[in-house]
């Protein structure tokens, strides 16, 4: 997924949530609805989150420097993780607190029709943003399931916005049901119960996003397709006798660090090895443009096996 696709999704969500949050807060202040107040907080948090994602994308584009020789690509992963924490701490926490207060001290909602109109408009706006996010996300699926695509994705902006918008639409439906039930049954505390339910939806969404972005933040390898392509290129070189190790690390959605350990023919001269390494590097980067940095270690297979064995023995001793 190109960067401009991610930005389009975020800008759409940012504009929609900004307008929706203002409308929801106005309706909550006018009617005294706890569920509507939670929805306003939810949209406000989402607006801030989209701003953080855009900030993370901007920071990730900074060129390498002495303090960060491999660049700032992981900034996007960090800010995506912060977004998940904010959804949990602010969105979920405040919604549950607001709901509990309404359940303990229930009071009727005035002018409920205002809330229904606002919820309907918000649902329409959220649907547009959700559809844009889903459309961009589906371009990366390739026949995989939704959750498998999220697990394999290296771009957290797409699935973060998609799940935020999905949680928002579900929250709107819960708010509408809570308001209607409170009005029809004459039980004002149901409005607070809806607010608690919205908080729980946000908590579940935040936990899922935090789990997925944590893996990216710690460091995930390239896809099996990219690794297979690299292996084929390296093994096609007549000077290489064995591929000891291929290690990859995503520093960003389109920023892969590659380290190779290769065993070359013993009779090959140093100049021929240099030419072979240069050729492999050019071919790898041409066929896999996401590989931005490549390091090749020349190492005899027997020495590599001895090193791996020694590392395993050390890990057993440390355990």
């Amino acid at each position: 997924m190109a960067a401009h696709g991610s930005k389009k999704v975020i800008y759409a969500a940012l504009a929609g949530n900004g307008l929706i949050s203002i409308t929801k807060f106005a309706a909550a202040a006018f009617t005294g609805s706890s569920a509507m107040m939670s929805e306003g907080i939810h949209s406000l948090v989402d607006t801030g989150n989209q701003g953080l994602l855009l900030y993370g994308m901007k920071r990730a584009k900074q060129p390498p420097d002495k303090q960060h020789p491999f660049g700032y690509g992981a900034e996007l992963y960090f800010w995506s993780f912060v977004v998940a924490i904010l959804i949990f701490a602010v969105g979920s926490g405040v919604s549950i607190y607001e709901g509990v207060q309404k359940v303990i001290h229930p009071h009727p909602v005035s002018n409920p029709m205002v809330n229904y109109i606002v919820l309907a408009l918000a649902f329409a706006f959220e649907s547009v943003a959700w559809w844009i996010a889903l459309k961009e996300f589906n371009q990366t699926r390739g026949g995989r399931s939704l959750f498998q695509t999220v697990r394999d994705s290296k771009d957290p902006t797409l699935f973060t916005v998609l799940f935020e918008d999905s949680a928002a639409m579900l929250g709107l439906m819960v708010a509408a049901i809570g308001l209607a039930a409170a009005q029809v049954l004459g039980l004002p505390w149901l409005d607070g119960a809806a607010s608690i339910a919205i908080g729980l939806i946000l908590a579940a969404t935040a936990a899922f996003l935090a789990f997925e972005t944590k893996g990216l933040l710690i460091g995930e390898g390239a896809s099996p397709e990219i690794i297979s392509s690299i292996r084929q290129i390296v093994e096609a070189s007549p000077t290489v006798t064995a591929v000891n190790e291929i290690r990859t690390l995503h520093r960003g959605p389109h920023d892969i660090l590659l380290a190779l350990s290769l065993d070359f023919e013993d009779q090959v001269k140093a100049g021929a090895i240099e030419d072979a390494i240069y050729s492999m590097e050019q071919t790898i980067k041409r066929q896999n443009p996401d590989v931005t940095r490549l390091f090749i270690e020349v190492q005899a297979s027997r020495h590599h096996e001895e090193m791996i064995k020694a590392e395993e023995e050390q890990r057993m001793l440390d355990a």
Side-chain angles (χ1 to χ4, degrees):
M1 174 61 62
H4 73 274
S6 301
K7 279 193 173 182
K8 181 172 71 173
V9 171
I10 297 173
Y11 281 129
L14 180 66
N17 283 316
L19 294 173
I20 291 169
S21 63
I22 295 172
T23 307
K24 287 178 179 176
F25 279 127
F30 185 69
T31 63
S33 169
S34 177
M36 186 58 70
M37 177 62 72
S38 296
E39 276 299 304
I41 294 168
H42 180 184
S43 295
L44 182 62
V45 171
D46 283 351
T47 304
N49 288 344
Q50 271 97 57
L52 288 176
L53 290 176
L54 288 172
Y55 178 72
M57 293 177 73
K58 181 180 179 181
R59 291 280 300 174
K61 290 182 178 179
Q62 291 185 110
D65 53 35
K66 290 183 179 180
Q67 288 186 318
H68 301 87
F70 292 107
Y72 290 79
E75 283 260 11
L76 178 59
Y77 296 156
F78 169 76
W79 289 108
S80 298
F81 188 75
V82 170
V83 164
I85 299 301
L86 286 177
I87 293 174
F88 181 82
V90 181
S92 175
V94 175
S95 294
I96 292 174
Y97 174 81
E98 180 71 19
V100 170
Q101 292 300 310
K102 183 65 178 285
V103 171
I104 296 175
H105 307 290
H107 56 81
V109 175
S110 62
N111 299 302
M113 186 55 63
V114 173
N115 284 327
Y116 295 137
I117 294 172
V118 170
L119 288 174
L121 291 173
F123 193 84
F125 294 146
E126 288 285 4
S127 297
V128 173
W130 178 83
W131 177 251
I132 293 173
L134 181 64
K135 186 177 179 181
E136 294 292 335
F137 180 82
N138 281 340
Q139 292 182 15
T140 68
R141 292 184 66 170
R144 295 171 295 177
S145 68
L146 186 146
F147 287 102
Q148 186 60 48
T149 305
V150 172
R151 295 301 306 271
D152 295 342
S153 176
K154 309 304 179 186
D155 187 353
T157 58
L158 283 178
F159 63 76
T160 296
V161 174
L162 178 62
F163 277 84
E164 274 187 350
D165 289 344
S166 300
M169 294 176 66
L170 186 58
L172 289 169
M173 290 187 283
V174 170
I177 292 171
L179 285 168
Q183 182 183 6
V184 173
L185 300 177
L187 299 173
W189 63 267
L190 288 174
D191 180 44
S195 181
I196 295 173
I198 292 170
L200 294 176
I201 290 170
L202 293 177
T205 303
F208 178 77
L209 293 177
F211 178 79
E212 291 300 327
T213 52
K214 183 202 73 170
L216 293 170
L217 192 59
I218 292 173
E220 291 187 0
S223 67
E225 293 78 13
I226 291 178
I227 293 176
S228 176
S229 171
I230 293 169
R231 183 177 293 277
Q232 290 177 10
I233 293 170
V234 173
E235 290 179 343
S237 175
T239 59
V240 175
T241 60
V243 180
N244 298 323
E245 197 168 31
I246 299 177
R247 292 199 180 190
T248 58
L249 175 66
H250 265 275
R251 296 281 303 164
H254 306 286
D255 184 1
I256 299 175
L257 174 66
L258 170 63
L260 295 171
S261 175
L262 306 177
D263 188 0
F264 288 83
E265 292 278 359
D266 293 337
Q267 296 80 11
V268 178
K269 295 182 178 179
I273 292 178
E274 290 174 352
D275 291 340
I277 289 176
Y278 177 78
S279 176
M280 282 187 286
E281 181 176 357
Q282 296 301 307
T283 305
I284 289 172
K285 289 186 175 181
R286 184 173 61 253
Q287 295 189 17
N288 302 279
D290 286 350
V291 176
T292 55
R293 294 168 184 82
L294 191 159
F295 300 93
I296 297 179
E297 177 186 49
V298 180
Q299 187 178 43
S301 295
R302 63 181 184 278
H303 295 159
H304 179 76
E305 292 172 359
E306 291 172 0
M307 183 184 70
I308 295 298
K309 184 178 180 181
E311 290 177 352
E312 290 177 352
E313 290 175 351
Q314 186 60 47
R315 281 196 295 268
M316 292 179 64
L317 291 174
D318 294 338

